[in-house]
Amino acid sequence: SQTIHQWPATLVQPVGSPLSLECTVEGTSNPNLYWYRQAAGRGLQLLFYSVGIGQISSEVPQNLSASRPQDRQFILSSKKLLLSDSGFYLCAWGGGGSPLHFGNGTRLTVT
Amino acid sequence: QKEVEQNSGPLSVPEGAIASLNCTYSDRGSQSFFWYRQYSGKSPELIMSIYSNGDKEDGRFTAQLNKASQYVSLLIRDSQPSDSATYLCAVDTGANSKLTFGKGITLSVRP
């Protein structure tokens, strides 16, 4: 069966510091991968999605970036965090007519 | 702009009652429809998928889809306090493998 791992679970970072969140999927090959952000009390905002290695589509221009160095690995990064980057970050796989399956998420607080 | 709208909440029902959650979408070409449940502080989990007009039942949950009227609903029978959560409607238009989520509605089941 397919599983998705996302870490860390929580993160507190100062403004201006870098960020790296990692997500890996097991049990499937060439999955569509997604990064979403959920700000407090708000809906899910799609940040990036990828249909293959090295293929990244950005939905929202901002100071975040994503990379897919391996088939089942998706990384979300930032060189300098802003206060507005605080939120609940979710990695997911699936789509293309099938449902998305989410990881457990990373709660990021930028101080 | 593809939109998914959910009726504003929160929704409160007594234990044992039927909870009715509604969702409308703007893209007539939408093909796949999903309901997710999200407990506070947790990631969304898939509870129902529906792809064709009509009703689909799974235990106490029934999803209803009407493509002509562009709405999808979720009925929860014999509501339990453990059903208290935020429910997210998601729609896949079939383009670019992306899901569009509604903002969610918070359900509270009173013992």
Side-chain angles (χ1 to χ4, degrees):
Chain A
S1 63
Q2 301 90 353
T3 56
I4 180 168
H5 303 280
Q6 189 180 342
W7 66 93
T10 59
L11 193 59
V12 180
Q13 293 284 96
V15 169
S17 63
L19 173 73
S20 180
L21 302 180
E22 189 166 341
C23 169
T24 59
V25 180
E26 296 178 358
T28 184
S29 59
N30 196 30
N32 295 332
L33 296 173
Y34 306 80
W35 279 110
Y36 282 85
R37 178 171 62 197
Q38 189 174 39
R42 302 184 65 179
L44 286 168
Q45 178 187 32
L46 178 61
L47 302 175
F48 302 94
Y49 71 96
S50 171
V51 298
I53 295 175
Q55 301 178 63
I56 309 294
S57 295
S58 173
E59 289 294 300
V60 182
Q62 57 205 329
N63 68 320
L64 299 173
S65 62
S67 62
R68 186 169 176 173
Q70 300 181 43
D71 181 44
R72 290 168 287 176
Q73 183 185 28
F74 205 21
I75 298 172
L76 181 70
S77 304
S78 174
K79 293 182 179 178
K80 289 185 178 181
L81 284 169
L82 307 173
L83 284 174
S84 58
D85 291 323
S86 294
F88 192 38
Y89 288 81
L90 292 157
C91 180
W93 71 272
S98 298
L100 293 186
H101 302 276
F102 290 90
N104 288 334
T106 296
R107 187 158 307 279
L108 172 66
T109 303
V110 182
T111 61
Chain B
Q1 180 83 11
K2 301 178 176 64
E3 294 182 348
V4 177
E5 300 285 344
Q6 295 184 243
N7 47 347
S8 59
L11 176 66
S12 180
V13 300
E15 185 174 354
I18 296 176
S20 178
L21 313 176
N22 299 318
C23 174
T24 59
Y25 57 95
S26 63
D27 190 334
R28 189 169 288 277
S30 299
Q31 301 291 322
S32 308
F33 307 85
F34 310 99
W35 282 98
Y36 288 82
R37 177 177 63 199
Q38 185 175 22
Y39 292 113
S40 179
K42 303 295 185 181
S43 61
E45 58 175 321
L46 178 71
I47 53 173
M48 290 290 285
S49 304
I50 187 166
Y51 303 95
S52 55
N53 281 328
D55 295 359
K56 179 181 178 183
E57 186 174 320
D58 183 1
R60 296 186 295 110
F61 298 98
T62 299
Q64 300 174 318
L65 175 60
N66 184 321
K67 289 185 178 180
S69 300
Q70 294 176 241
Y71 83 78
V72 56
S73 62
L74 179 70
L75 300 178
I76 306 174
R77 292 182 302 280
D78 188 24
S79 295
Q80 301 297 309
S82 59
D83 295 325
S84 298
T86 296
Y87 289 80
L88 303 169
C89 172
V91 177
D92 187 340
T93 63
N96 297 324
S97 303
K98 294 185 290 184
L99 260 63
T100 300
F101 284 83
K103 291 185 178 180
I105 182 169
T106 298
L107 171 67
S108 175
V109 180
R110 310 186 301 271

